């Protein structure tokens, strides 16, 4: 018999975080005021770092029935690092809309991508909008359109760490110290083991209300680290829904006065990093009897472009992909069945069922989902 498995000790926390302003004042006095049939549309876009979120509200005369009914808008790109001051206007084009969990009622969140505005040429013609450099959605959508006959499905696992907004140290950890070693925290319940669950549960309900296909949540290996999954989503919707789910998470962290970081290795040493694993399938991999053979062919293609993928799979990923803590080495490409130490993991039942999906475990938690999903489609289906 193997030795009895024993868990390290768990230490409780007395830490409490409160909002800077009293949220009950808004809830009690203004939240349920009649809007007279008008719709509050929160336009959301990605800022100049490629990772920061920006937003502003537009009041519409009525609730739109589709994203095509939403008006285009603009913003000051010189204040977000996306345009010079002497030509600062950036064009906002609505791409997807969701119900707004922060303003229940006929109100929406509008995910936009960003373009240089149309311009009048010397001959009087008008040039079309041009995607700005931080608009990674545009190229991803091009790949998805080219591969739409393959119906690419994605499921993205988003890991993140909750921090004390004042100390920038993981929430609930001892000040200037560390909790007990890893072991008791993964999928855990109990005081000191599952830290920040209120934020996580709020995020789950808010995403479901918004219409995001969030498919699960769990506590992760490092205390104060959590994960949620978005998918399966087809094509460009995977990136859209992941981006909006992140925005909702940041808005909730704002309410709880905590910070959420997507850093792939927030705490150095013997602590797990944070990943953004992407589960991928398509008609070829899902085909009965031959799907398993097609999966192996696609994995071989991914191996040939390993360096291209690694370069685009998240800033700081070299601190995470060390070959330890359930990761592969970023320097080598590998794959295996049920092996979480490989670049690509295939589920145990896939060879049995002879079809299914595979998981790219290389992306960091701060992955750009448009870049990663686009690369998977390009390498596996278009090359």
């Amino acid at each position: 018999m193997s030795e009895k498995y024993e868990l390290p000790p768990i230490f409780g926390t007395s830490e409490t975080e409160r909002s800077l302003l009293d949220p009950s004042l808004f809830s009690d006095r203004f939240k349920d005021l009649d809007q007279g049939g008008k719709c509050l549309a929160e336009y959301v876009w990605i800022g100049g770092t490629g990772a920061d979120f920006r937003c502003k509200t537009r009041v519409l005369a009525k609730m739109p029935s589709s994203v095509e009914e939403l008006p285009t808008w603009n913003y000051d790109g010189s204040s977000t690092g996306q345009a010079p001051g002497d030509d600062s206007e950036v064009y906002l084009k609505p791409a997807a809309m969701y119900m707004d969990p922060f303003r229940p009622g006929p109100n929406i969140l509008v995910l936009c991508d960003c373009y240089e505005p149309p311009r009048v040429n010397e001959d009087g013609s008008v040039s079309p909008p041009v995607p700005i450099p931080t608009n990674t959605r545009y190229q991803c959508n091009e790949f998805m359109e080219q591969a739409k006959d393959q119906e690419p499905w994605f499921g993205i696992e988003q890991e993140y760490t909750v921090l004390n907004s004042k100390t920038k140290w993981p929430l609930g950890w001892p000040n200037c110290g560390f909790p007990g070693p890893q072991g008791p925290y993964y999928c855990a319940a109990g005081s000191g083991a599952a830290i920040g669950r209120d934020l996580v549960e709020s995020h789950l309900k808010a995403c479901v209300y918004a219409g995001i296909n969030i498919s699960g949540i769990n506590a992760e290996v490092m205390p104060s680290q959590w994960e949620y999954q978005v998918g399966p989503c087809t094509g460009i919707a995977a990136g859209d829904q992941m981006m909006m789910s992140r925005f909702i998470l940041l808005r909730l962290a704002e309410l709880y006065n905590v910070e959420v970081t997507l850093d792939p290795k927030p705490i150095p040493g013997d602590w797990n990093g944070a990943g953004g694993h992407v589960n991928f399938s398509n008609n070829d991999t899902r085909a009965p009897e031959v799907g398993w053979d097609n999966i192996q062919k696609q994995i071989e293609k991914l191996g040939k472009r390993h360096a291209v993928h690694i370069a685009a799979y998240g800033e700081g990923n070299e601190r995470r992909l060390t070959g330890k803590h359930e990761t592969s080495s970023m320097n080598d490409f590998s794959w295996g069945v049920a092996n979480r130490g490989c670049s690509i993991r295939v589920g145990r039942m896939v060879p049995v069922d002879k079809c299914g999906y595979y998981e790219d475990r290389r992306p960091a938690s701060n992955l750009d989902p448009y870049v990663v999903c686009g690369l998977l489609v390009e390498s596996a289906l278009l090359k």
Side-chain angles (χ1 to χ4, degrees):
M1 294 180 62
S2 61
E3 294 183 7
K4 182 181 179 182
Y5 177 55
E6 294 185 359
L7 293 172
I10 300 172
F11 300 92
T13 174
S14 60
E15 186 173 350
T16 301
E17 296 300 315
R18 294 183 175 86
S19 299
L20 295 175
L21 303 177
D22 183 355
S24 66
L25 293 177
F26 173 76
S27 297
D28 294 346
R29 301 184 185 188
F30 304 106
K31 185 177 180 181
D32 296 324
L33 291 180
D34 185 76
Q35 296 178 190
K38 293 186 177 180
C39 170
L40 309 183
E42 188 78 0
Y43 279 51
V44 180
W45 69 96
I46 311 301
T49 67
D52 59 309
F53 285 90
R54 307 297 176 118
C55 60
K56 61 178 182 175
T57 304
R58 182 162 183 163
V59 180
L60 305 178
K62 64 177 183 177
M63 178 78 171
S65 59
S66 67
V67 71
E68 288 75 22
E69 293 184 7
L70 287 162
T72 56
W73 209 6
N74 63 75
Y75 66 93
D76 172 16
S78 68
S79 296
T80 63
Q82 293 169 294
D86 60 353
D87 189 11
S88 63
E89 193 167 296
V90 178
Y91 197 61
L92 281 175
K93 183 178 178 181
M97 69 180 193
Y98 308 89
M99 297 305 297
D100 189 343
F102 304 101
R103 295 166 172 158
N107 303 310
I108 54 176
L109 301 175
V110 181
L111 182 69
C112 304
D113 50 357
C114 305
Y115 296 80
E116 293 182 11
R119 299 176 186 275
V120 178
N121 301 317
E122 291 183 0
D123 62 0
S125 62
V126 178
S127 62
V130 177
I132 65 175
T134 52
N135 183 354
T136 56
R137 185 184 187 277
Y138 181 84
Q139 181 60 69
C140 179
N141 198 39
E142 292 283 301
F143 289 142
M144 297 305 168
E145 284 298 310
Q146 293 175 46
K148 64 183 179 182
D149 290 344
Q150 275 284 341
E151 296 182 276
W153 293 356
F154 302 91
I156 305 177
E157 305 170 24
Q158 177 67 74
E159 296 179 350
Y160 62 95
T161 307
V162 186
L163 305 179
N164 181 307
S165 60
K166 298 182 286 294
T167 65
K168 309 303 179 184
W169 197 235
L171 188 70
W173 285 32
N175 290 329
C176 304
F178 297 88
Q182 295 184 154
Y185 309 108
Y186 172 69
C187 294
S191 177
I195 303 170
R197 190 184 292 275
D198 284 352
L199 170 66
V200 179
E201 293 286 344
S202 299
H203 181 246
L204 175 63
K205 292 291 292 256
C207 284
V208 169
Y209 176 86
I212 290 170
N213 191 25
I214 188 169
S215 48
I217 57 171
N218 61 270
E220 266 301 334
V221 178
M222 190 181 80
S224 299
Q225 186 185 76
W226 292 83
E227 176 187 303
Y228 66 92
Q229 303 89 36
V230 169
C233 297
T234 303
I236 196 67
D240 290 346
Q241 294 196 26
M242 176 52 64
M243 284 302 193
M244 188 55 77
S245 73
R246 285 178 175 177
F247 173 76
I248 291 172
L249 182 60
L250 291 179
R251 284 286 307 275
L252 287 165
E254 178 186 322
L255 292 176
Y256 283 106
N257 196 26
V258 296
E259 185 173 326
V260 167
T261 179
L262 301 184
D263 190 287
K265 186 71 174 180
I267 304 298
D270 195 19
W271 301 98
N272 271 38
H277 308 153
V278 178
N279 300 276
F280 178 51
S281 75
N282 45 76
N283 285 340
D284 283 349
T285 71
R286 297 188 296 266
E289 299 300 324
V290 298
W292 172 224
D293 292 334
N294 291 329
I295 285 173
Q296 294 175 77
K297 292 175 184 177
Q298 291 184 17
I299 291 175
E300 184 179 355
K301 290 182 179 180
L302 294 179
K304 292 177 180 178
R305 302 191 78 207
H306 177 63
V308 175
H309 284 249
I310 285 293
Y313 271 17
E315 185 178 352
N317 208 14
E318 71 281 355
R319 293 182 281 116
R320 168 182 161 264
L321 290 182
T322 62
K324 300 178 181 179
H325 303 107
E326 301 181 83
T327 70
S328 60
S329 169
M330 71 181 301
N331 298 315
D332 304 303
F333 181 83
S334 59
W335 73 276
V337 176
N339 188 343
R340 283 178 163 76
C342 285
S343 307
I344 305 292
R345 180 186 70 87
V346 177
R348 175 63 67 190
M349 292 304 296
V350 171
V352 176
D353 296 335
K354 298 182 181 179
C355 62
Y357 71 97
Y358 51 92
E359 176 193 32
D360 191 343
R361 296 180 58 81
R362 296 171 294 174
S365 51
N366 58 1
L367 81 160
D368 182 329
Y370 296 126
V371 171
V372 172
C373 292
L375 271 174
L376 281 170
V377 165
E378 182 188 25
S379 296
L381 301 178
L382 302 179
K383 287 291 184 181

